[in-house]
Amino acid sequence: MKIKHSAAALLAVSMGLGSAYGLDLSTEQKVKQIIADYSPVVWFHGEEQYFTHNVDAYLNSINMLGGVVSSANSYDNFKQEHVYYWSADHINRYGINSSQASLKNYISSRHNVPRGDVQTWFKIADQSIKAGDVGATKTYVVANEDPLARTLTLEYNYFYPYNGPGRFEVCMSGNDCSNIQSTTVGRHQGDWESVNLVIDTQTDEVKKVYLSAHGDLKESKDDILFWNRHPYVYSAKYSHAFYPQGGRVDYERVWSKDYWLGTASVDLFDVTGSASYLWSPYPNGYQVIKSNMDVFADTLIPEWVTYSERWGFNEKLKHSVSITIFGGSVYTYDYKEVGRGPNKRIDNTPKGATLFKHPNYQGYAITLDTGSYTIAQLSAQGIPNDDVSSIHVPSGYKVDIYQHDNFGGWVRTYYNDIPGLGSGDNQISSVRVSKL
């Protein structure tokens, strides 16, 4: 585990290109070395106050609360009642799942409400945990191999005890703008972010990179710089959204009004920088928490991995912004939300169908995420027109293949692997991949 304070300490010298040797996945030790070899370098902004930590430290600093929550996504209608809690000592003694079950059973019985209506969440009791501790940070790794697609997916998960409030840009028109740092909206306890790499096991090349940002995963391979095989990732100040480059990112326009001189607007934005970094290339810096690979068959999965409810408590948050436009008109925009810690997503890399050049899953192997693909879009993914002969369809997905461009001609639908396309061999011009 290292933390530095100079951007010059690292240089981006490659673009994640592979070699001609392939990955050796034959033993646990060798796969762990691969995890270390590709571990991301996470840069922090110079004004960041809330850093990464490890989950065990967080669980020793929280209470588990339970209650009945209604209208959780509505600021005006949100309500929670019948709230009780277990302390960290209780959780450590009896475990997360047992504590959660007993809390739900008690509330359901005492207040005569359906057990399914009772939710649980964590709430920080020791406020000092909010700052995090880079030196004590663990990177939590999910490693999944897809032999047919010839890929290894590594999901590097990072935990922040606290997510700070967001920021607004308020514009009267054009360049007449000012920035506002909120003290409320955007904040929540418990924050998970991830960097997901899809690696070609035959060439070692990083084929795809997905970065988490504000609850979404965004493919970012073309924009990322690599130091050897390590991708550079920038953690936004307070929000911790991951981006492929440093600087400013506008991610949502929440209000606008057109008038005779232009458009008044309110935008949410992130800022990233490179004042210090986190890098976990050593075994004590990361932990494999889940895998479909035989070499990790004896790996013990931490109990918290199975916890499926909120990592932070519910909190009504509001920030009012006044906008004065030319002519003297004054508008007030109220940004309102219920701040909530996230539900942890384990193994959340997008998946889809893998298309092969030759029958029996030979030749190139290119995985398409859910979506619709015309000739041009297939070509952009590296799949020429009329060039596919077999398809790997994972469980829970379906693939529609079309004879012509723009989803014309005959169509065939598949829910399972197709080692040979018969009369459809080398006849595909457009594709749709869907999750069931």
Side-chain angles (χ1 to χ4, degrees):
M1 185 71 61
K2 295 183 178 180
I3 181 168
K4 300 291 186 183
H5 294 279
S6 171
L10 296 175
L11 295 175
V13 296
S14 73
M15 293 302 294
L17 300 179
S19 69
Y21 301 106
L23 298 179
D24 185 347
L25 308 178
S26 59
T27 68
E28 179 179 353
Q29 182 178 0
K30 289 178 179 179
V31 176
K32 285 186 173 180
Q33 185 59 55
I34 292 168
I35 292 171
D37 289 343
Y38 287 86
S39 58
V41 178
V42 180
W43 291 98
F44 298 113
H45 190 275
E47 298 176 357
E48 182 61 68
Q49 298 182 42
Y50 310 109
F51 291 92
T52 51
H53 211 321
N54 67 76
V55 169
D56 291 337
Y58 184 72
L59 294 177
N60 285 324
S61 304
I62 55 90
N63 295 323
M64 176 188 285
L65 280 69
V68 178
V69 178
S70 56
S71 301
N73 295 317
S74 170
Y75 178 91
D76 293 323
N77 298 318
F78 168 77
K79 183 180 180 181
Q80 64 183 28
E81 53 189 347
H82 311 316
V83 177
Y84 298 83
Y85 77 94
W86 286 127
S87 67
D89 289 341
H90 186 281
I91 297 170
N92 288 331
R93 181 176 181 181
Y94 296 102
I96 292 175
N97 293 332
S98 177
S99 298
Q100 181 185 40
S102 62
L103 198 57
K104 289 191 171 192
N105 289 339
Y106 177 79
I107 295 171
S108 173
S109 174
R110 181 177 178 85
H111 296 280
N112 194 29
V113 296
R115 190 179 185 278
D117 290 347
V118 181
Q119 300 179 25
T120 60
W121 57 92
F122 297 146
K123 185 175 182 180
I124 292 175
D126 179 359
Q127 300 302 312
S128 67
I129 196 69
K130 288 183 177 180
D133 184 345
V134 175
T137 292
K138 283 279 189 182
T139 301
Y140 300 100
V141 179
V142 177
N144 287 326
E145 180 189 9
D146 189 333
L148 279 178
R150 298 192 290 276
T151 60
L152 173 67
T153 298
L154 298 178
E155 177 183 318
Y156 297 85
N157 294 282
Y158 302 87
F159 181 72
Y160 298 78
Y162 189 73
N163 190 99
R167 59 200 55 79
F168 301 91
E169 179 183 66
V170 180
C171 294
M172 311 311 160
S173 68
N175 295 322
D176 185 11
C177 302
S178 60
N179 297 332
I180 299 173
Q181 173 66 62
S182 177
T183 59
T184 54
V185 298
R187 72 187 186 194
H188 60 79
Q189 298 181 357
D191 186 25
W192 282 101
E193 304 294 345
S194 67
V195 180
N196 304 340
L197 308 182
V198 182
I199 306 167
D200 188 313
T201 56
Q202 292 190 321
T203 67
D204 300 2
E205 179 184 358
V206 177
K207 298 175 66 175
K208 295 186 179 182
V209 180
Y210 297 91
L211 304 182
S212 65
H214 301 288
D216 294 325
L217 280 175
K218 298 181 180 180
E219 187 174 351
S220 306
K221 170 66 163 60
D222 294 339
D223 300 319
I224 281 190
L225 294 177
F226 287 79
W227 175 56
N228 295 328
R229 296 174 177 174
H230 307 284
Y232 275 12
V233 177
Y234 294 83
S235 175
K237 175 186 173 183
Y238 293 178
S239 80
H240 309 138
F242 281 162
Y243 295 104
Q245 297 176 354
R248 169 179 166 147
V249 180
D250 294 335
Y251 64 88
E252 185 180 1
R253 172 155 290 182
V254 294
W255 180 88
S256 65
K257 183 174 180 62
D258 295 326
Y259 68 107
W260 63 275
L261 194 59
T263 300
S265 60
V266 179
D267 293 285
L268 300 177
F269 70 96
D270 279 325
V271 291
T272 64
S274 54
S276 61
Y277 70 86
L278 164 69
W279 183 33
S280 307
Y282 306 115
N284 64 339
Y286 66 83
Q287 178 181 355
V288 177
I289 58 172
K290 189 176 180 182
S291 178
N292 68 350
M293 305 173 71
D294 290 341
V295 297
F296 291 115
D298 296 328
T299 297
L300 295 177
I301 299 176
E303 187 184 26
W304 57 259
V305 172
T306 65
Y307 180 73
S308 60
E309 298 196 76
R310 296 288 172 179
W311 283 73
F313 77 113
N314 308 301
E315 181 183 21
K316 293 180 68 171
L317 302 170
K318 178 180 177 180
H319 188 109
S320 297
V321 177
S322 294
I323 306 101
T324 303
I325 64 175
F326 291 101
S329 299
V330 179
Y331 296 90
T332 299
Y333 169 72
D334 292 328
Y335 189 97
K336 299 186 292 185
E337 67 175 4
V338 179
R340 313 180 74 199
N343 294 99
K344 174 62 189 121
R345 302 166 301 164
I346 293 295
D347 192 12
N348 62 355
T349 299
K351 301 177 179 65
T354 303
L355 278 57
F356 297 84
K357 178 177 178 60
H358 301 308
N360 297 311
Y361 318 111
Q362 300 300 310
Y364 61 62
I366 297 176
T367 300
L368 301 178
D369 299 335
T370 55
S372 299
Y373 300 84
T374 62
I375 283 180
Q377 291 166 320
L378 289 172
S379 177
Q381 296 290 325
I383 303 173
N385 184 38
D386 294 339
D387 199 51
V388 173
S389 296
S390 55
I391 304 175
H392 167 45
V393 185
S395 175
Y397 289 80
K398 77 167 183 173
V399 175
D400 299 307
I401 60 173
Y402 296 82
Q403 181 184 19
H404 299 315
D405 193 17
N406 295 313
F407 318 105
W410 51 251
V411 58
R412 297 174 184 174
T413 300
Y414 299 103
Y415 297 87
N416 300 292
D417 290 347
I418 311 299
L421 294 174
S423 61
D425 186 52
N426 293 328
Q427 297 292 315
I428 297 176
S429 295
S430 48
V431 176
R432 283 196 171 105
V433 180
S434 306
K435 189 170 178 60
L436 299 176

